[in-house]
Amino acid sequence: MPLLRTREDVERQESENLAPFAQKSSSSRGRLHAQPSHRWRSEYQRDVARIIHSAAFRRLEYKTQVFLNGTGDHYRTRLTHTMEVASIGRTLARALGLNEDLAEAVALAHDLGHSPFGHSGEETLDRLLKDHGGFDHNDQSLRVVTLIESPYEDFDGLNLTFEVLEGVQKHATARTAPDLGAYACASLEGQIADLADEIAYYSHDVQDGIEAGLIRPAQLRNVPLCAETAAASGLDLADAGNKEVRLALARILSNTLIEDVLLASAGRISASGVQSADEVRRHADLLVGYSPRMAKRTDELRSFLYANLYFHPEVEGANRRACDMMAAVFDAYMKDPSQIGREATRRVPNCGLHRAAGDYIAGMTDRYLLREHARLFHAS
Ligand code: MG
């Protein structure tokens, strides 16, 4: 092996080391706009770099995950959540012999379309745009990477590879989605991002929820996944008020879910007999996922988090006030379109004022939206 490893060396290593059903970067379907390949980076490593160098990625730092951005320095933001998803995604990909770079690229891009103010912000924007196609953060992530981020002179978008777009597409319905032709599923690397996302937020939301005093440790005894994993590792949930116990619980939850996904997915991949990434795409069902038992357990945990955390009066109250400001800013743009940003104005002829304003607001950080509200309504 030479001292300096070029893209060709990375591609050779992929062919030699990855599983037959992994997506190799050398067999990428490529980019919508042809560009010469990079001397050092594989196509997916290049996509990782394009995503983390985008303005939309940097703005994730100031967007709410669950707790309004800035209310606590230790809570997850959209950015730290995304980094956890990428880390878990790489772990899953490596253990299954898949392409870590592709899994990482999809994970890093998966939340680029999230609006400010978390779940409530997304609902608000969906309501504001209901007669104009609505708002969905998965659709929006695709719009961000194919249309809104615009670092090149000759075309809009980051010009990512087909495989990364396919992974980001997830449940997207937008016209910006790549044409998947006859394919039923994304690559295994694309499927991983979904699971990595869930594993990350289940464990960190439980941890942050307890830390914020919104979830009482005793409540977790009624959540079978928490009760069972705690019992299996000798943790007493009544002690979850203690930092060490809380961190241990988040760690154990995440490890339990990773373990389950790896074993269940390996079993399904092997039973399916798929021998290539395209056979994965043509397979009728997703191959990466929980065991049926764990799928039930995670559904219960998700219901618990929705009922007790995401719309907890304390979370919801702060988010509600922020979302009222979002709606007021949107209305102000409808009344006076000259107030929206230069880039958004440029898109009005193509997608209409409502969508352009929606794109503009969705791209804002929490604090930018508050500043914009102050500019529009409290200008001296
Ligand atoms: Mg996410």
Side-chain angles (χ1 to χ4, degrees):
M1 185 57 81
L3 180 64
L4 280 173
R5 299 169 190 198
T6 62
R7 173 183 48 81
E8 283 95 336
D9 294 317
V10 176
E11 288 176 356
R12 200 170 314 117
Q13 280 177 329
E14 285 183 3
S15 314
E16 286 167 9
N17 299 330
L18 298 185
F21 39 78
Q23 172 68 51
K24 280 72 172 184
S25 56
S26 56
S27 13
S28 169
R29 278 171 176 69
R31 306 172 189 279
L32 185 57
H33 306 281
Q35 289 175 303
S37 49
H38 196 277
R39 187 173 177 194
W40 306 108
R41 287 174 172 149
S42 75
E43 295 304 325
Y44 304 138
Q45 289 172 338
R46 209 172 182 194
D47 285 350
V48 164
R50 286 178 185 205
I51 294 160
I52 63 176
H53 286 96
S54 71
F57 186 79
R58 289 193 294 278
R59 289 197 303 262
L60 294 175
E61 182 174 2
Y62 298 105
K63 287 189 176 196
T64 287
Q65 175 69 22
V66 171
F67 298 94
L68 201 61
N69 195 276
T71 51
D73 287 353
H74 297 292
Y75 300 139
R76 268 71 178 186
T77 64
R78 246 338 128 189
L79 180 63
T80 63
H81 160 72
T82 296
M83 292 168 78
E84 292 186 25
V85 176
S87 165
I88 293 170
R90 287 193 81 111
T91 300
L92 295 175
R94 192 181 308 124
L96 287 165
L98 300 173
N99 195 320
E100 285 179 58
D101 298 326
L102 175 55
E104 181 180 24
V106 176
L108 291 172
H110 90 283
D111 265 355
L112 288 177
H114 253 293
S115 63
F117 311 139
H119 295 267
S120 312
E122 181 168 13
E123 280 184 5
T124 303
L125 212 42
D126 187 41
R127 179 172 55 75
L128 293 168
L129 291 170
K130 78 173 181 314
D131 297 328
H132 302 270
F135 180 84
D136 171 90
H137 77 267
N138 294 313
D139 288 349
Q140 192 66 17
S141 295
L142 265 179
R143 279 181 73 77
V144 168
V145 296
T146 55
L147 211 62
I148 296 173
E149 282 294 320
S150 217
Y152 302 105
E153 242 174 62
D154 300 338
F155 49 81
D156 290 334
L158 297 177
N159 200 27
L160 303 177
T161 55
F162 169 90
E163 294 75 24
V164 173
L165 295 178
E166 170 197 62
V168 175
Q169 182 194 13
K170 211 171 146 182
H171 310 296
T173 52
R175 287 185 299 279
T176 44
D179 180 7
L180 297 183
Y183 299 134
C185 298
S187 65
L188 294 170
E189 290 83 352
Q191 296 181 32
I192 273 179
D194 245 1
L195 272 297
D197 183 25
E198 282 195 21
I199 294 172
Y201 71 68
Y202 286 142
S203 32
H204 67 49
D205 289 352
V206 167
Q207 184 197 332
D208 284 355
I210 302 173
E211 193 164 327
L214 303 182
I215 296 176
R216 282 176 291 105
Q219 285 179 287
L220 296 176
R221 292 204 191 113
N222 302 321
V223 183
L225 178 60
C226 296
E228 287 168 12
T229 48
S233 15
L235 274 186
D236 185 354
L237 285 178
D239 293 338
N242 298 336
K243 184 177 158 205
E244 288 73 20
V245 178
R246 193 162 62 235
L247 294 176
L249 177 63
R251 209 161 47 232
I252 293 164
L253 273 180
S254 140
N255 280 330
T256 303
L257 294 173
I258 288 172
E259 179 90 3
D260 182 83
V261 166
L262 286 177
L263 296 179
S265 305
R268 275 194 284 262
I269 292 168
S270 147
S272 74
V274 291
Q275 286 301 318
S276 71
D278 274 349
E279 284 182 28
V280 169
R281 291 187 173 90
R282 285 193 292 267
H283 196 73
D285 305 305
L286 297 173
L287 293 168
V288 177
Y290 305 110
S291 65
R293 184 181 159 279
M294 194 58 82
K296 182 166 176 294
R297 288 286 175 261
T298 55
D299 279 350
E300 293 157 354
L301 176 57
R302 180 202 300 261
S303 307
F304 172 81
L305 290 170
Y306 268 91
N308 296 283
L309 181 63
Y310 300 147
F311 297 97
H312 187 287
E314 215 166 292
V315 171
E316 179 64 356
N319 284 349
R320 181 52 46 206
R321 287 187 293 281
C323 289
D324 288 345
M325 291 191 203
M326 180 191 276
V329 167
F330 184 86
D331 280 347
Y333 294 154
M334 292 304 105
K335 289 190 186 112
D336 181 2
S338 74
Q339 296 294 331
I340 66 172
R342 191 168 43 88
E343 285 291 311
T345 302
R346 194 173 61 85
R347 285 195 302 275
V348 172
N350 281 331
C351 64
L353 176 61
H354 286 79
R355 180 58 54 190
D359 286 343
Y360 187 43
I361 289 177
M364 291 180 187
T365 60
D366 291 16
R367 62 184 193 174
Y368 187 87
L369 196 139
L370 300 180
R371 278 207 301 267
E372 187 65 351
H373 184 270
R375 180 183 75 83
L376 291 165
F377 297 99
H378 304 292
S380 51

